[in-house]
Amino acid sequence: MLTVIKPFCNEFHRENRMDLILSEALATVETEYLLTAKELEACDLRGRKILFAVCLSEAGINMEYYRILEFFRRAPGCLTGCSGAVIVDGSGELFTKSLARRLVFSANAAGCAFISRPLVEATGSLYNFKVISKVLGTDLLGAYQMLTERLIKRLCDFEMLKIRHPNVLAIHASSRKTSNSLMLWEKVKSYLDESIKVTEISLRNGQLLDCRGCKYEECMHFGEKGGCFYGGVMVEQVYPAIIECDCLVMICPNYNDAVSANITAFINRLTAVFRTHDFSKKKIFALVVSGYSGGDIVAEQIISAMNFNKNFILPAKFALVETANDPGSILDVEALEEKAGIFARQIRA
């Protein structure tokens, strides 16, 4: 059975469009609908396949969505063993993706894994389907319908792969002498079995050029050869390691409420190899350390970049988010050893 969590919205036009899409896509699927936070609180949600379907008002708001978000944040184990996907239908051109990644972050922290590319978003005009509608040979609404049907099928068919000895790749761009993020990674790594192969790549070594946006055909040409026009550490070290790994751990200190420039360049430069290799069986994890606050913002950036766009699976509780300012102060975080051990077990799982 598929559980559809569809926060009640009184925006009738948007509700009608989403209801039309869902009625067709779920015609042959046994479903249960939950519309309010109170209904969720009365259920045992653990172990379910969940489709989150959210409509937004003209102001980009759904009040019941926020009540459901509050429930997830106050009951951090309520979605243990769940796997999910998301549909967001907006009234304008804004807020659909930001709402989706906030939902995914909170549901993931409550124990829900998300399939690769788990989001179908429909802006008010459906203009965001323009390119894919041409590829699919249909109109904008038809593209919305087809992508929703495909998403639901992938969710229903999804099973989390269990690899006994995963090949782990850790990416960072920090100074080992002063980085709290790397100190946290060292703690996590100490709890990994010796049988697990761990590869670390520093993006500080040498110049890492950001993607300048080659034409699609050029990007495909280089990707098919395992390369990129800009070469460097990405082609020589990162591409082969990404192709080989089962799990990617991104070590991301919070720089101005964003991932660092080198990590941004790393994400952008993945496009060439992503276009020629399937990442949909790989898992993404993240270590995020903030000096003051805002770790959730960085974790959400990683969700949208790596899970929404680059096709990585998002395992439950994918991010370990901590706050530490002075060099070495991460070691004073309460229950650090326990947190590092739990996170290592998630990578091993």
Side-chain angles (χ1 to χ4, degrees):
M1 176 183 289
L2 182 65
T3 297
V4 181
I5 295 179
K6 186 174 179 289
F8 172 76
C9 177
N10 60 2
E11 194 75 18
F12 296 111
H13 171 65
R14 209 56 53 209
E15 282 275 311
N16 288 342
R17 186 168 77 175
M18 176 174 273
D19 285 342
L20 175 64
I21 294 294
L22 290 178
S23 64
E24 293 288 334
L26 296 170
T28 60
V29 180
E30 184 181 1
T31 59
E32 174 189 18
Y33 276 81
L34 299 174
L35 304 179
T36 67
K38 288 185 178 180
E39 291 180 8
L40 267 65
E41 292 173 17
C43 295
D44 182 357
L45 297 170
R46 293 172 297 178
R48 300 192 185 199
K49 298 283 183 74
I50 299 177
L51 177 67
F52 299 90
V54 186
C55 294
L56 303 184
S57 70
E58 294 291 342
I61 298 293
N62 181 315
M63 295 306 298
E64 194 60 37
Y65 156 84
Y66 287 105
R67 296 185 184 97
I68 289 173
L69 218 59
E70 181 184 25
F71 168 62
F72 291 158
R73 294 175 182 177
R74 295 178 64 179
C78 65
L79 299 179
T80 298
C82 293
S83 51
V86 184
I87 302 172
V88 180
D89 197 319
S91 296
E93 305 306 295
L94 304 179
F95 309 119
T96 50
K97 188 159 287 179
S98 60
L99 179 141
R101 69 182 194 179
R102 187 170 296 124
L103 168 62
V104 169
F105 175 75
S106 297
N108 181 261
C112 185
F114 283 85
I115 65 174
S116 59
R117 283 199 169 178
L119 173 64
V120 170
E121 56 169 334
T123 62
S125 66
L126 299 182
Y127 186 83
N128 61 304
F129 293 124
K130 182 177 180 181
V131 173
I132 192 63
S133 66
K134 293 179 181 178
V135 174
L136 297 175
T138 184
D139 59 11
L140 300 180
L141 188 62
Y144 184 9
Q145 181 74 54
M146 291 174 70
L147 292 182
T148 298
E149 291 173 356
R150 292 180 182 183
L151 180 71
I152 290 170
K153 184 178 189 308
R154 289 195 296 114
L155 175 60
C156 292
D157 293 342
F158 176 76
E159 295 293 337
M160 183 67 78
L161 291 175
K162 296 181 179 180
I163 302 172
R164 187 171 183 180
H165 302 296
N167 185 334
V168 177
L169 171 63
I171 294 288
H172 72 89
S174 301
S175 169
R176 199 167 291 278
K177 291 182 180 179
T178 59
S179 171
N180 282 310
S181 302
L182 279 178
M183 292 179 195
L184 179 58
W185 165 241
E186 290 298 327
K187 282 292 183 184
V188 171
K189 188 170 65 171
S190 70
Y191 286 96
L192 294 175
D193 298 341
E194 293 183 0
S195 60
I196 295 176
K197 179 183 177 182
V198 178
T199 302
E200 294 183 17
I201 297 179
S202 171
L203 301 179
R204 288 171 62 89
N205 299 331
Q207 186 182 27
L208 178 62
L209 295 175
D210 201 347
C211 176
R212 305 275 181 92
C214 292
K215 292 182 179 179
Y216 176 83
E217 293 78 10
E218 293 174 355
C219 188
M220 282 289 292
H221 171 74
F222 283 104
E224 288 169 354
K225 296 181 180 298
C228 170
F229 177 80
Y230 303 100
V233 64
M234 285 295 294
V235 172
E236 296 163 8
Q237 297 181 46
V238 176
Y239 284 2
I242 282 282
I243 293 168
E244 185 181 353
C245 79
D246 301 303
C247 302
L248 173 63
V249 180
M250 294 179 63
I251 302 166
C252 298
N254 179 354
Y255 286 102
N256 301 306
D257 293 330
V259 297
S260 68
N262 279 339
I263 295 296
T264 298
F266 157 76
I267 292 169
N268 293 337
R269 288 280 300 279
L270 281 181
T271 301
V273 71
F274 163 70
R275 283 175 170 162
T276 54
H277 293 80
D278 180 15
F279 291 173
S280 65
K281 301 295 189 297
K282 302 179 187 293
K283 301 175 185 177
I284 181 69
F285 294 91
L287 299 177
V288 179
V289 178
S290 296
Y292 301 97
S293 63
D296 55 318
I297 296 174
V298 175
E300 288 175 9
Q301 289 175 346
I302 296 168
I303 288 171
S304 57
M306 304 303 289
N307 176 234
F308 289 4
N309 286 285
K310 292 296 188 283
N311 221 17
F312 282 76
I313 293 171
L314 196 75
K317 300 180 184 294
F318 93 104
L320 180 55
V321 182
E322 297 295 341
T323 304
N325 194 312
D326 296 331
S329 59
I330 188 68
L331 302 178
D332 299 325
V333 168
E334 185 179 356
L336 179 65
E337 296 289 344
E338 180 183 0
K339 292 175 180 177
I342 291 172
F343 197 71
R345 286 197 294 274
Q346 291 170 208
I347 295 176
R348 288 201 310 264

